[in-house]
């Protein structure tokens, strides 16, 4: 079980790379590949997603989370899709947050919206669908850029997986309540909003309001804060992209801490393949004498493994190829 307190390790304000989508494409694809290899995370600016799309979903999220608990509990539980509070996954992990977890399939959104926003479900589902479409486009554009940078002849080899009509992508709205100012004075430490983990999917596209809290873990165990910007996206490499690139890209370990007098809300698109899709190192990325680091697995198999383990588990290790001396463990 994950213990919800923050280790008081040194943090550093080292910047993470920025990908400016208005730049020249050839330069961009090299930059995106380097960012995925070295950091597993980068910021995306000039993404062309209209501000109103971001603000509309933020407004819907704020409206939902500001209701009394009794109202929020009328939403279907996040098992699998709906409202959850404190409990993360099914393995005893807890955090100082509440959230809405939604499948990106419009039919599922339409069903769950009736329980989340009984007064105006259409308004809620429109804001959600519009945001998902925009975030999915950003994810696909990035995946096509990196495919170019990796010299993969089929530029859509990876993005196609999350454009698939049966894609198992999900959207999550995380709400980290403000720390009570009185409580803040007594306990001068941060607490864990969402414990350390890597995302199991292919690519994560995150947008938050202007409140800090997201941190990434470096190889040497430092925690680096990711400065918030409500009009930028933060993109993170997930475990499945690590496997697809045979370990060339690394999924990034991250966490969210709560520390302030302002509440934080993040809206996160997790781009995943269809449940029956195979995840296996792309053959064009393997040189003749390189062996795959991972056994082939389906997204359903990996998802099941991820969901049955606690947050901090280095789950990709379960799928390493038996004779793979090159495995880079994803554990901290
Ligand atoms: C992390 C990324 C997404 O938020 C998520 C999370 C999921 C959940 O909250 O149910 C998991 C977590 C996430 C990874 C390990 C398992 C599953 C909680 C947990 C302990 C929706 C996802 O896909 O994986």
């Amino acid at each position: 079980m994950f213990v919800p307190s923050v280790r008081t390790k040194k943090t550093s304000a080292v910047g993470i790379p920025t990908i400016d989508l208005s730049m020249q494409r050839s330069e961009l694809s090299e930059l995106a590949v380097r960012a995925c290899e070295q950091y597993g995370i980068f910021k995306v600016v000039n993404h062309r997603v209209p501000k109103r799309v971001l603000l509309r979903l933020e407004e819907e999220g704020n409206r939902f989370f500001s209701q009394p608990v009794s109202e929020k509990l009328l939403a279907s539980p996040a098992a699998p899709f709906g409202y959850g509070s404190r409990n993360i996954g099914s393995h005893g992990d807890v955090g100082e947050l509440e959230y809405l977890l939604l499948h990106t399939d419009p039919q599922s959104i339409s069903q769950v919206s009736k329980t989340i926003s009984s007064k105006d479900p259409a308004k809620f589902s429109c804001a959600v669908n519009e945001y998902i479409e925009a975030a999915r486009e950003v994810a696909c554009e990035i995946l096509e850029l990196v495919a170019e940078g990796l010299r993969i002849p089929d530029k859509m080899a990876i993005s196609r997986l999350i454009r698939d009509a049966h894609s198992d992508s999900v959207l999550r709205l995380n709400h980290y309540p403000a720390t009570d100012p009185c409580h803040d004075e007594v306990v001068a430490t941060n607490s864990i909003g969402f414990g350390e983990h890597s995302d199991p999917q292919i690519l994560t596209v995150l947008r938050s309001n202007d409140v800090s809290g997201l941190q990434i873990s470096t190889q040497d165990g430092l925690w680096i804060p990711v400065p918030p910007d409500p009009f930028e996206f933060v993109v993170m490499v997930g475990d499945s992209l690590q496997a697809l690139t045979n370990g060339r890209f690394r999924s990034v370990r991250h966490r969210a801490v709560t520390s302030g007098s302002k509440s934080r809300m993040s809206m996160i698109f997790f781009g995943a393949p269809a449940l029956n899709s195979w995840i296996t190192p792309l053959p064009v990325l393997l040189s003749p004498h390189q062996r795959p680091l991972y056994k082939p697995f389906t997204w359903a198999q990996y998802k099941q493994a991820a969901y049955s383990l606690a947050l901090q588990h280095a789950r990709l290790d379960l799928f390493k190829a038996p004779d793979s001396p090159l495995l880079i463990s994803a554990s901290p």
Side-chain angles (χ1 to χ4, degrees):
M1 173 168 156
F2 188 78
V3 183
S5 70
V6 172
R7 283 174 290 153
T8 49
K9 276 192 180 172
K10 254 210 290 185
T11 60
S12 140
V14 177
I16 62 165
T18 297
I19 300 293
D20 178 347
L21 287 182
S22 67
M23 276 166 57
Q24 270 255 317
R25 207 167 165 91
S26 55
E27 202 182 330
L28 262 184
S29 57
E30 304 286 324
L31 279 176
V33 166
R34 225 172 305 138
C36 291
E37 286 173 339
Q38 294 176 354
Y39 297 85
I41 182 170
F42 52 87
K43 293 196 258 176
V44 175
V45 300
N46 289 323
H47 45 65
R48 297 183 299 274
V49 176
K51 286 185 180 172
R52 62 171 170 77
V53 173
L54 308 174
L55 296 174
R56 200 177 289 169
L57 185 58
E58 181 174 353
E59 191 185 314
E60 286 300 310
N62 281 333
R63 198 196 45 70
F64 175 81
F65 291 121
S66 62
Q67 297 177 111
V69 177
S70 57
E71 289 290 316
K72 292 187 271 197
L73 290 175
L74 297 176
S76 56
F81 300 113
Y83 174 68
S85 177
R86 285 187 58 81
N87 292 314
I88 303 170
S90 56
H91 220 81
D93 292 289
V94 289
E96 289 304 316
L97 89 161
E98 53 179 349
Y99 58 92
L100 286 171
L101 184 58
L102 306 169
H103 197 280
T104 55
D105 168 51
Q107 274 198 346
S108 166
I109 292 169
S110 150
Q111 283 305 313
V112 180
S113 296
K114 290 179 198 154
T115 73
I116 292 175
S117 174
S118 55
K119 287 202 188 97
D120 200 346
K123 190 165 170 241
F124 181 82
S125 61
C126 278
V128 168
N129 284 322
E130 199 177 35
Y131 181 84
I132 287 172
E133 237 171 80
R136 188 195 287 120
E137 259 327 295
V138 171
C140 289
E141 190 168 353
I142 299 294
L143 292 171
E144 284 154 23
L145 264 179
V146 297
E148 263 174 63
L150 289 169
R151 314 266 181 272
I152 300 175
D154 176 5
K155 299 288 167 283
M156 301 197 21
I158 314 175
S159 65
R160 190 177 293 122
L161 297 171
I162 66 172
R163 278 197 209 279
D164 189 321
H166 300 290
S167 154
D168 189 43
S169 299
V170 293
L171 177 78
R172 190 176 184 124
L173 263 58
N174 283 337
H175 178 242
Y176 302 94
T179 317
D180 178 314
C182 305
H183 177 87
D184 216 14
E185 274 167 33
V186 182
V187 186
T189 54
N190 300 338
S191 60
I192 287 292
F194 203 118
E196 175 183 349
H197 66 286
S198 58
D199 295 333
Q201 291 84 358
I202 295 178
L203 204 72
T204 300
V205 176
L206 176 149
R207 181 267 179 192
S208 78
N209 61 0
D210 62 352
V211 179
S212 60
L214 178 64
Q215 300 182 339
I216 59 164
S217 167
T218 63
Q219 309 257 24
D220 45 11
L222 289 179
W223 284 104
I224 299 179
V226 179
D229 185 315
F231 301 114
E232 291 177 357
F233 287 110
V234 173
V235 168
M236 290 184 272
V237 171
D239 297 340
S240 300
L241 188 53
Q242 177 169 331
L244 286 164
T245 58
N246 204 37
R248 184 157 163 189
F249 292 178
R250 300 285 308 276
S251 60
V252 62
R253 299 193 68 78
H254 55 283
R255 68 181 183 184
V257 296
T258 60
S259 57
S261 51
K262 280 197 198 160
S263 67
R264 172 165 183 265
M265 186 163 70
S266 55
M267 315 187 316
I268 320 163
F269 171 82
F270 298 95
L275 286 168
N276 61 3
S277 274
W278 284 92
I279 298 174
T280 168
L282 294 165
V284 291
L285 297 182
L286 293 176
S287 59
H289 24 258
Q290 215 184 358
R291 284 192 302 242
L293 292 180
Y294 308 103
K295 295 183 270 194
F297 51 85
T298 63
W299 167 242
Q301 288 169 336
Y302 192 66
K303 184 177 178 180
Q304 196 196 1
Y307 276 61
S308 62
L309 295 168
L311 273 185
Q312 284 200 34
H313 198 281
R315 52 190 106 88
L316 252 189
D317 284 359
L318 299 176
F319 294 88
K320 71 178 194 183
D323 52 355
S324 167
L326 293 173
L327 185 85
I328 316 154
S329 165
S331 55

